[in-house]
Amino acid sequence: MKKIFILGLICCMLGILSGCGSKEDGSAEKKELSVEELSNRLFSELTYEDSLSMLNNEVALKYYGIDPEIVKSSAVYISTGATAEEIAVFEAVSNGDADTIYEACVKRKDTQIMSYSDYKPSETSRLDHHVLRKSGRFVVFCVNYDDNEVNRIIDDVLD
């Protein structure tokens, strides 16, 4: 009887301890991506030569030529115009809408390159260091010389 009790106690302990371990399938819970968190980190953790100001959503979407109906959430910071520095983070309503937003960011970058090539050609090299990434319904566009750090921050928030 004593052996059965000890065996039962050991089984219970093993059951309790196995509940404390990691998932057997190796999957990890994915962090919820936040437009605000990512844009705030890009704004606060990177060095900018110019002052960046956050635009209200209506104005920001006009800058990018994006239909407000396809955007769930966004945060856009632009410079005074003295530099091409910029941060834009969008959450689309769907993955297809994210593709449309991605293309709008490509057009924005191309427009900025054309504008700065006449106005301030040195800024076109900064635009060459832009980061434009899409992950599911999220699109991130950031113009900063430190594209490696931009990618690190994005990876940190996405992982």
Side-chain angles (χ1 to χ4, degrees):
M1 181 73 173
K2 197 176 196 182
K3 288 181 183 181
I4 294 174
F5 176 73
I6 291 174
L7 185 58
L9 186 60
I10 290 172
C11 287
C12 286
M13 293 299 290
L14 288 174
I16 291 170
L17 290 175
S18 68
C20 297
S22 62
K23 295 182 181 179
E24 283 184 30
D25 65 1
S27 66
E29 286 187 35
K30 187 163 179 150
K31 244 184 350 184
E32 185 70 27
L33 177 58
S34 161
V35 167
E36 293 78 21
E37 177 190 359
L38 182 51
S39 63
N40 287 339
R41 287 197 55 194
L42 291 169
F43 180 75
S44 64
E45 294 180 25
L46 295 169
T47 302
Y48 296 93
E49 291 178 29
D50 199 357
S51 296
L52 298 182
S53 300
M54 186 174 201
L55 297 177
N56 73 43
N57 285 337
E58 184 180 328
V59 172
L61 297 177
K62 283 183 183 179
Y63 263 85
Y64 281 80
I66 298 172
D67 179 359
E69 295 294 317
I70 69 170
V71 178
K72 184 175 180 182
S73 178
S74 67
V76 176
Y77 295 82
I78 62 166
S79 70
T80 64
T83 69
E85 296 169 319
E86 193 161 316
I87 302 166
V89 182
F90 301 96
E91 180 182 5
V93 173
S94 70
N95 286 349
D97 293 334
D99 292 336
T100 301
I101 293 169
Y102 184 94
E103 290 305 317
C105 290
V106 170
K107 287 179 186 173
R108 169 78 175 157
K109 179 207 41 114
D110 292 344
T111 300
Q112 290 290 81
I113 288 173
M114 286 183 5
S115 296
Y116 279 101
S117 64
D118 291 334
Y119 168 65
K120 195 172 181 184
S122 61
E123 285 302 300
T124 58
S125 67
R126 189 184 315 264
L127 285 156
D128 289 339
H129 288 272
H130 80 280
V131 173
L132 177 56
R133 291 184 43 189
K134 178 184 168 289
S135 177
R137 294 181 298 117
F138 292 88
V139 178
V140 181
F141 174 62
C142 187
V143 179
N144 184 289
Y145 270 126
D146 197 351
D147 51 338
N148 289 328
E149 187 65 9
V150 171
N151 280 308
R152 185 199 63 76
I153 292 168
I154 294 170
D155 290 340
D156 189 43
V157 174
L158 290 176
D159 290 341

